[in-house]
Amino acid sequence: MKFTLSWLKKHLETEATIDEVVEAMTLAGLEVEDVENPAEKLSEFSIGKVLTAEKHPDADKLKVCTVETRDGTKTIVCGAPNARADMTVAYAPLGAYIPGLDFSLDKKPRKIRGIESSGMMCSGKELEVDEENDGIMDLPQTLEMGTPLADALNMNDPVIDFEVTPNRPDWLGVNSIARDLAAVGLGKLITPPTNLTPPKFETDQKIRVDDTEGCPAFVGRHIRGVKNSPSPKWLQDQLKAIGLRPISALVDITNYITYDRARPLHFYDMSKLTGSIIVRRGKDETFEALDDRTYTATEDDVVIADESGILGLGGIVGGEDSSCDENTTDILIESAYFDPLTIRRSAKRLGVNSDAKYRFERGVDTGGLIDGCELATQLVLEICGGEASDIVIGGEIPADPDPIEFDPMQVNRLTSLSLSDEEMNTILTKLGFTVKHGPIWKVTVPSFRRDCTEGADLVEEIARIHGYHNLEAVSLPPLPGRREPTATLTQNRTRLARRALGLRGLSESVTWSFALDEHAALFGGDNPTLRVDNPISTDLNTMRPSALIHLLLAGQRNADKGYPGAALFELGPVFAGQEPKDQRLSLAGMRRVESVRDWAGAEEISALTAKADVIEALDAMGASTDNLMLMEAVGEYWHPGRSGSLRMGPKKVLASFGELHPRVLKALGVDGRVAAFEIWPEALPAPRKKNASKSKGALTLSDFMPVTRDFAFIVPDAVASNDILRAAQGADKKLITNVSLFDVYQGKGVEDGHKSLAIEVTLSPTDATLTDKEIDAVSDKIIESVMKVGGRLRS
């Protein structure tokens, strides 16, 4: 909603500046979004007087003008065809920014064909004050030299743009904004009264309302003998200031009243009407609308029709066939009330957006039906001439809201404000309420405030006008007893895991919890019970079984735009069914496998990169990754030879990782190879109570040198290296502090179907330096332990 400061002052007597108005609006709950003063971009420009205008000696189309300005007498070379002596112009000094041309003049005089030019004389288009560009602005001679151009053009009028909340449709009229500002003490409400226009004749135009649910009331008036010429300058300037294009006097009047009183109106050319006006439901009728589109009205829509057919969508958009033009002499004023829900449904289905729809779907003032018609009559007679008939009413004007039984003690109880009865009465009265005093007040609600239905609403109004900033800030009393942690164990763990993945170069993403059913099926999500009945998009019609779906698609989108090395992760829910137990928390991530051109030979991303991501995240969450089992990945979407899973037992899967199956990537439209992982944070067991402390244990270091020994074992190809490492680690848990694999060999000297695994074992004594005999004993235990899982010492 936009309005100018001068427009506001037609309803509010005040000396407040624009800054004071904005502050008062904000404190009263009106959310100001922007303030634009056209005078600011014209601040450098002023009125100049052309003394002489001679032809340029070296250019046929240029003139050398002597101009009297506030900076002294200047020589300006001008190419405008209308430049002449004794002309009043818009003068731009050196260095001024010309908004219509988007450039700044030089700060020093510039030679044009050998003659220095100091400044510029501007056209309206160059200053963005009008569309005329035939020459420089030819302003009235009465303007004094040096007058700021914004003052000369009456453009020193700030425009305020603010957000209107859905519960306050009355704020869509400048008069209601003035009412609230008057209530907060910014000035006196002076909204001009609507004069009653005595009828000159009785109209024979009939109005019949068949659909009283969609349109309870239709107020009409016939005005004959009008002249639909361009509207006066004051009206055009007012509409231009808020971004509306003046069209004709009749159209401009309806637009003005729409913004001035939040009262949408419509004018019909009576020469284009046939018989009675009928308000009814649509009958699959098609018509050409004023917005140059064609609509079909159905049984769900309220239409205005005559005996020949549809004239327009009631409260949304009028029809072209009955519109007013320059030949219109007789008009019918429509001032109606339409059901907000019906308007909203019709506008949404048809994709229509108009100022009338915006107001009717929020609810207009039912008490302003006749006043709106009278105000329109007054402006039409004043601007277009003619004479008015009596007022005709179809249907029945809705009754005013029910009064509210209000206990004034509620104000202190709900807000802790201590206000006198007189203060509360003054606030309510200034807002348009009528108060009948007693132990319990009886407050009559005005028709434009149907959002107030109970005492708490009146308390809110009193607190709002008194000022929310005057409410005392009081802390809630602390709850007795011990406070439980605000974050759960899983939340704390996943926070640490997200940080760990971020440190490994992955970017966190937030994607949809829905997916395309075809994509979901690739990840085992072919459960029809997870289909969404009313999806927000056809591409998001089922609950996702894996968070990898949108991560993969996002990675491909990045690659398509020239960023192939996407590395993303997400923490979010996935779904296997409709029961609560079927929803799981997933921490998923992906890296596109791209070869990196680097002189140092950077490491290529692979399934082992995804494994490292998983181990880093599990370590951050407190899992003992050294003791986990390495098995095949869970899910047919993993590459069978380049994937795996980490488990705390054969059935307790903590994570799957590796490259994704090429079949899945092709179906998703993802190019190349992708390494990814899925971690299930909720599968991690809770820590034992003795380790529940967030602090780390004491660091224990041995005073004795560690000892390392290397072993090489021959094992079948089917034996996982992790099994060998775990067996060696378990040979002596007290002395053996680390076991690592440093070589894998297949070839000469190793029989087919077998491989040689070389491991390094670190022994860390705690009591004394190890003897050769003790080292040999531990070595024997390691060999014996590895033999149990299928290995033998390589000779």
Side-chain angles (χ1 to χ4, degrees):
M1 171 68 183
K2 290 183 178 181
F3 64 93
T4 62
L5 183 61
S6 63
W7 197 337
L8 175 68
K9 290 185 176 182
K10 291 183 178 181
H11 297 275
L12 184 70
E13 183 180 318
T14 181
E15 298 298 326
T17 64
I18 183 64
D19 291 337
E20 291 170 337
V21 169
V22 169
E23 181 182 12
M25 289 178 65
T26 302
L27 293 178
L30 290 90
E31 183 181 347
V32 178
E33 292 189 335
D34 187 33
V35 178
E36 180 183 354
N37 191 350
E40 292 179 357
K41 68 178 181 181
L42 299 177
S43 60
E44 297 179 287
F45 305 94
S46 59
I47 296 300
K49 299 285 186 177
V50 181
L51 302 178
T52 63
E54 305 291 339
K55 180 180 176 298
H56 194 291
D58 294 328
D60 293 337
K61 295 184 179 181
L62 298 180
K63 293 180 181 179
V64 180
C65 302
T66 304
V67 185
E68 184 182 8
T69 73
R70 64 183 178 186
D71 300 325
T73 302
K74 301 290 184 181
T75 298
I76 299 177
V77 178
C78 178
N82 64 333
R84 66 180 189 278
D86 298 325
M87 188 177 184
T88 301
V89 296
Y91 161 69
L94 293 171
Y97 173 73
I98 312 300
L101 301 178
D102 192 24
F103 81 93
S104 297
L105 300 179
D106 294 336
K107 294 185 178 180
K108 294 182 179 180
R110 179 185 177 189
K111 282 190 176 183
I112 301 178
R113 294 289 183 94
I115 297 180
E116 282 192 347
S117 180
S118 302
M120 180 177 176
M121 297 182 291
C122 303
S123 69
K125 190 170 185 178
E126 290 168 339
L127 298 179
E128 295 184 338
V129 297
D130 60 42
E131 294 299 319
E132 296 296 329
N133 199 33
D134 295 335
I136 57 178
M137 296 182 71
D138 190 356
L139 299 172
Q141 294 287 336
T142 54
L143 294 174
E144 294 184 8
M145 184 276 296
T147 302
L149 184 62
D151 293 341
L153 299 178
N154 294 319
M155 295 187 67
N156 195 1
D157 194 7
V159 179
I160 300 173
D161 185 3
F162 75 100
E163 184 68 26
V164 178
T165 55
N167 67 314
R168 290 301 304 269
D170 58 307
W171 278 346
L172 291 166
V174 181
N175 66 316
S176 290
I177 301 166
R179 183 186 300 108
D180 276 24
L181 293 179
V184 299
L186 197 68
K188 179 183 178 183
L189 185 65
I190 55 167
T191 297
T194 302
N195 299 322
L196 297 178
T197 303
K200 297 292 185 179
F201 65 97
E202 289 188 8
T203 181
D204 56 1
Q205 179 64 55
K206 305 298 181 182
I207 298 173
R208 189 176 85 235
V209 177
D210 293 343
D211 179 21
T212 56
E213 179 182 352
C215 177
F218 185 117
V219 174
R221 171 173 258 167
H222 177 187
I223 301 181
R224 65 189 180 191
V226 301
K227 183 179 180 181
N228 191 19
S229 56
S231 55
K233 186 176 184 302
W234 71 266
L235 180 52
Q236 292 192 34
D237 290 345
Q238 204 75 83
L239 297 178
K240 287 179 182 178
I242 61 173
L244 296 181
R245 180 174 60 90
I247 298 174
S248 66
L250 293 177
V251 175
D252 294 349
I253 288 171
T254 61
N255 287 335
Y256 177 78
I257 296 176
T258 296
Y259 280 81
D260 190 69
R261 304 294 174 93
R263 163 46 56 191
L265 301 169
H266 188 69
F267 292 167
Y268 299 91
D269 187 332
M270 293 194 66
S271 66
K272 301 175 182 179
L273 301 180
T274 303
S276 301
I277 292 290
I278 306 167
V279 184
R280 56 174 174 79
R281 292 285 172 158
K283 300 176 181 178
D284 294 327
E285 301 156 284
T286 300
F287 72 102
E288 298 290 331
L290 289 171
D291 59 2
D292 298 325
R293 293 175 60 186
T294 300
Y295 299 103
T296 299
T298 68
E299 184 65 27
D300 296 328
D301 308 315
V302 177
V303 303
I304 311 298
D306 61 7
E307 294 177 5
S308 66
I310 186 172
L311 302 175
L313 288 170
I316 299 179
V317 63
E320 181 67 34
D321 291 344
S322 60
S323 62
C324 299
D325 53 36
E326 66 275 5
N327 299 316
T328 298
T329 57
D330 285 41
I331 64 170
L332 176 69
I333 298 175
E334 171 201 304
S335 176
Y337 175 76
F338 297 95
D339 173 57
L341 290 178
T342 304
I343 295 295
R344 188 176 301 122
R345 283 194 294 262
S346 295
K348 182 178 181 180
R349 180 179 61 83
L350 296 170
V352 192
N353 195 16
S354 65
D355 285 337
K357 165 260 177 187
Y358 186 76
R359 285 158 175 78
F360 277 120
E361 72 178 356
R362 283 161 172 76
V364 300
D365 178 16
T366 56
L369 291 174
I370 294 178
D371 283 350
C373 184
E374 290 284 6
L375 180 58
T377 301
Q378 180 180 324
L379 289 175
V380 169
L381 297 181
E382 177 184 325
I383 296 172
C384 304
E387 55 184 18
S389 74
D390 55 334
I391 288 179
V392 181
I393 301 177
E396 185 176 348
I397 297 176
D400 289 340
D402 294 331
I404 297 174
E405 301 288 334
F406 177 58
D407 182 359
M409 298 299 292
Q410 278 187 290
V411 174
N412 181 264
R413 182 173 63 83
L414 296 178
T415 68
S416 76
L417 289 174
S418 298
L419 301 178
S420 66
D421 288 358
E422 183 180 354
E423 290 176 300
M424 292 186 287
N425 179 78
T426 299
I427 289 174
L428 292 175
T429 301
K430 285 187 174 182
L431 290 175
F433 297 88
T434 303
V435 180
K436 184 177 181 181
H437 293 275
I440 300 296
W441 293 4
K442 186 174 183 179
V443 180
T444 302
V445 180
S447 58
F448 53 82
R449 289 304 308 273
R450 292 183 180 272
D451 59 300
C452 293
T453 59
E454 58 184 358
D457 296 326
L458 300 181
V459 173
E460 181 182 357
E461 289 301 295
I462 292 170
R464 180 176 66 88
I465 299 302
H466 181 69
Y468 291 130
H469 59 290
N470 292 320
L471 293 174
E472 182 182 356
V474 180
S475 299
L476 292 172
L479 295 174
R482 177 177 174 274
R483 295 188 185 181
E484 294 297 325
T486 55
T488 65
L489 175 63
T490 300
Q491 288 171 336
N492 286 324
R493 282 175 163 176
T494 53
R495 183 178 70 250
L496 297 174
R498 288 159 58 201
R499 184 179 301 171
L501 292 173
L503 291 173
R504 284 188 55 81
L506 284 87
S507 299
E508 185 167 9
S509 304
V510 178
T511 66
W512 296 104
S513 293
F514 311 100
L516 179 64
D517 52 2
E518 296 175 4
H519 293 166
L522 298 172
F523 291 81
D526 51 358
N527 188 344
T529 64
L530 293 179
R531 296 283 179 85
V532 181
D533 289 337
N534 186 23
I536 57 177
S537 169
T538 55
D539 294 336
L540 301 169
N541 58 1
T542 192
M543 306 300 291
R544 67 179 182 185
S546 172
L548 289 174
I549 298 174
H550 291 298
L551 293 180
L552 295 170
L553 295 175
Q556 183 61 41
R557 287 194 298 271
N558 277 270
D560 293 341
K561 294 182 180 180
Y563 300 94
L568 308 171
F569 79 92
E570 178 183 7
L571 176 71
V574 296
F575 307 87
Q578 293 187 347
E579 298 299 321
K581 62 181 177 61
D582 296 327
Q583 177 176 327
R584 302 177 68 191
L585 185 64
S586 169
L587 180 60
M590 56 76 65
R591 296 178 187 266
R592 290 179 61 86
V593 178
E594 301 288 341
S595 58
V596 181
R597 299 180 64 185
D598 192 288
W599 69 272
E603 180 182 358
E604 184 179 276
I605 294 170
S606 65
L608 295 179
T609 311
K611 180 183 179 183
D613 292 333
V614 169
I615 291 176
E616 194 73 23
L618 291 176
D619 280 339
M621 289 191 285
S624 180
T625 54
D626 293 338
N627 299 321
L628 297 179
M629 298 177 63
L630 181 62
M631 300 179 66
E632 69 278 2
V634 179
E636 295 182 359
Y637 46 91
W638 296 105
H639 193 298
R642 299 174 184 170
S643 61
S645 65
L646 293 176
R647 312 187 186 199
M648 292 188 70
K651 296 183 179 180
K652 193 160 188 177
V653 181
L654 296 186
S656 292
F657 63 88
E659 289 192 27
L660 290 167
H661 201 293
R663 169 183 56 82
V664 173
L665 296 179
K666 182 179 179 180
L668 289 172
V670 176
D671 301 329
R673 294 156 52 200
V674 176
F677 61 84
E678 284 182 309
I679 303 173
W680 310 105
E682 294 169 328
L684 270 70
R688 296 178 181 178
K689 289 188 176 181
K690 65 178 183 180
N691 296 325
S693 172
K694 293 183 180 179
S695 61
K696 293 184 178 180
L699 177 63
T700 56
L701 296 175
S702 175
D703 294 331
F704 305 98
M705 284 288 292
V707 178
T708 61
R709 287 290 185 269
D710 295 343
F711 300 86
F713 296 99
I714 302 295
V715 300
D717 286 342
V719 176
S721 60
N722 191 55
D723 294 341
I724 302 299
L725 296 177
R726 287 166 58 88
Q729 182 80 47
D732 192 324
K733 295 182 179 180
K734 184 177 180 181
L735 285 178
I736 299 174
T737 56
N738 186 57
V739 180
S740 61
L741 177 71
F742 67 87
D743 184 58
V744 178
Y745 172 74
Q746 288 178 303
K748 186 177 180 180
V750 177
E751 60 264 39
D752 292 340
H754 289 70
K755 58 189 175 183
S756 172
L757 302 180
I759 65 174
E760 180 187 72
V761 180
T762 302
L763 308 177
S764 298
T766 56
D767 300 328
T769 301
L770 294 174
T771 65
D772 289 342
K773 184 178 180 180
E774 289 172 328
I775 295 173
D776 291 341
V778 175
S779 298
D780 292 340
K781 289 182 180 179
I782 293 172
I783 295 171
E784 183 182 352
S785 181
V786 172
M787 290 177 65
K788 292 179 180 179
V789 294
R792 71 176 188 275
L793 192 64
R794 181 178 175 184
S795 57

